[in-house]
Amino acid sequence: MIIKRFQNRVAESRLALPFTGIYAFVVCAVGGLFACQLWVQFVLLALSSFLMMELNNANALIRIYSRMVSCSFLALAVMSHFLFVDIRCGIVQACFIAFYIFMFSAYQDSHAVGKILYASLMLGIASSMFVQVLYFVPVIWILLATNIMVRNFRIYVASIFGLVMPYWFIGAYYIYIGQPEALLGHFEQLSQFGSVAAWRNMPLLQIVTVAYVVLLSVVGMIHFRLNNYKDKIRTRMLFETFSFMAILTILFLVLQPQHVSYLLALLIVSTAPMIGHYIALTHTLVTNLSFYVMLAATVVLTFLNILMPL
């Protein structure tokens, strides 16, 4: 007999997402939503939350009724307040969630050229804000073949077109204003590498925030690896994609900490489904205690990230 503990009652509650939404609004208000007029950032956060909910619904990431994927994303997104205030981070995050939605919809569909085009278009838009997103492309092409199981040549041609498409407009704009060299400068950033020693100059609170999200990601990965036999093959493939992308992002974070804001935004997107799965589908005393610790740590880090800059 499965004992329903506090974490399970929260995970299965229909009030979980509305309550988390109210909590996120309060956090944003305290963090300067009204005082600093952060309305664009708030709209991007709301859009990302809606897209995360759609990602969960369209792919049945959790095999019971639960909104923990969306709740986990919202909680982690507002916790990292230094990401919320950055419009570019918000755009990258929203585009990355949309990328997952389009890519997963192409599962085992060798004719899903349009879906892959849209998925790559989202990556292209994200790369216009953070060009290093393009480093993920070769790995994504491999995941398309191994996990999404689409291996049609036209799929990869569509992917290239989708990636390039935003730059047709950006390039035309730079030519119009007489600064075509600005586009070249954008891509030159791909060859600029920082030092791992940059971690020493980073605020301690920011390091702790990153370490906490990495820890949640690892917990989610281990949990799914031990329990993936309970899920459908399609769900396993999608969560393996989350895991692989999370591992790649963590490695990128370790080696290039100067991009911490953008990479943490991407890591939160891949981590939220995995930790949501963990919260919703575990029932032991230890996991229930870990849920209390997660709640406390998330709330404390949220208000520290807001109050310390003030």
Side-chain angles (χ1 to χ4, degrees), residues 187-216:
F187 288 108
E188 282 179 350
Q189 296 177 59
L190 289 170
S191 62
Q192 297 170 3
F193 300 99
S195 171
V196 179
W199 282 109
R200 284 184 283 184
N201 301 321
M202 197 175 297
L204 177 60
L205 182 57
Q206 201 167 7
I207 294 174
V208 172
T209 302
V210 172
Y212 177 62
V213 177
V214 170
L215 177 61
L216 293 183

Side-chain angles (χ1 to χ4, degrees), residues 23 75-76 78-80 205 208-209 211-213 215-216 289-305:
Y23 165 78
L76 294 177
V78 298
M79 177 190 76
S80 310
L205 182 57
V208 172
T209 302
Y212 177 62
V213 177
L215 177 61
L216 293 183
L289 291 174
S290 72
F291 178 63
Y292 283 114
V293 173
M294 286 179 202
L295 281 178
T298 302
V299 171
V300 169
L301 281 174
T302 298
F303 285 99
L304 284 177
N305 275 310

Side-chain angles (χ1 to χ4, degrees), residues 249-269:
T249 307
I250 292 169
L251 289 174
F252 200 167
L253 260 170
V254 171
L255 297 174
Q256 297 293 294
Q258 75 272 18
H259 302 307
V260 62
S261 294
Y262 294 109
L263 292 172
L264 181 58
L266 298 182
L267 182 60
I268 287 172
V269 173

Side-chain angles (χ1 to χ4, degrees), residues 131-161:
V131 70
Q132 284 79 6
V133 164
L134 296 176
Y135 284 133
F136 292 94
V137 172
V139 176
I140 289 168
W141 284 345
I142 294 171
L143 291 172
L144 279 174
T146 58
N147 288 62
I148 308 303
M149 291 190 271
V150 289
R151 304 178 180 92
N152 192 306
F153 177 73
R154 291 180 303 160
I155 294 292
Y156 294 95
V157 174
S159 177
I160 293 172
F161 270 104

